[in-house]
Amino acid sequence: MSLSCEKATVLIEKQTITRLSLGERIKLRMHLNKCQDCKNFKIDSEKMDQMIKHQTPSTAQKLELSAKIKQQIIDNSKGE
């Protein structure tokens, strides 16, 4: 029931666009407790999200994930 780093990073990104299920949150939390690399990835990802939100509307709009990419992240994480 261990989560791979690849799946953990997908969940880290997924949680920026939608709420994770209880099972996903538990698995991710357990993984982050033992994996410093993924913990660092999560911190960096959150920093990038904040930087994007503080850009001018036109720049932020260019940097936001398209709806198609967001849906792909959600669909890919459903298989985990």
Side-chain angles (χ1 to χ4, degrees):
M1 189 180 257
S2 182
L3 198 63
S4 70
C5 290
E6 183 178 356
K7 290 179 182 177
T9 57
V10 169
L11 291 179
I12 289 167
E13 293 304 318
K14 179 182 174 184
Q15 72 183 358
T16 65
I17 56 174
T18 189
R19 183 169 170 84
L20 299 179
S21 70
L22 178 60
E24 290 171 327
R25 290 193 310 269
I26 291 170
K27 287 179 185 177
L28 181 58
R29 188 173 304 139
M30 289 173 55
H31 182 85
L32 293 175
N33 283 335
K34 64 180 181 178
C35 183
Q36 187 62 45
D37 289 336
C38 286
K39 197 180 295 185
N40 291 339
F41 177 84
K42 183 177 187 300
I43 291 167
D44 291 344
S45 178
E46 289 169 350
K47 286 179 184 176
M48 286 190 292
D49 287 342
Q50 287 302 312
M51 288 173 29
I52 289 170
K53 288 178 183 176
H54 289 95
Q55 297 296 315
T56 61
S58 61
T59 304
Q61 188 177 29
K62 291 176 188 174
L63 295 174
E64 286 182 2
L65 291 174
S66 70
K68 182 178 178 181
I69 298 297
K70 288 179 184 180
Q71 190 60 47
Q72 285 176 343
I73 291 170
I74 292 168
D75 292 343
N76 288 339
S77 67
K78 287 181 182 176
E80 278 109 67

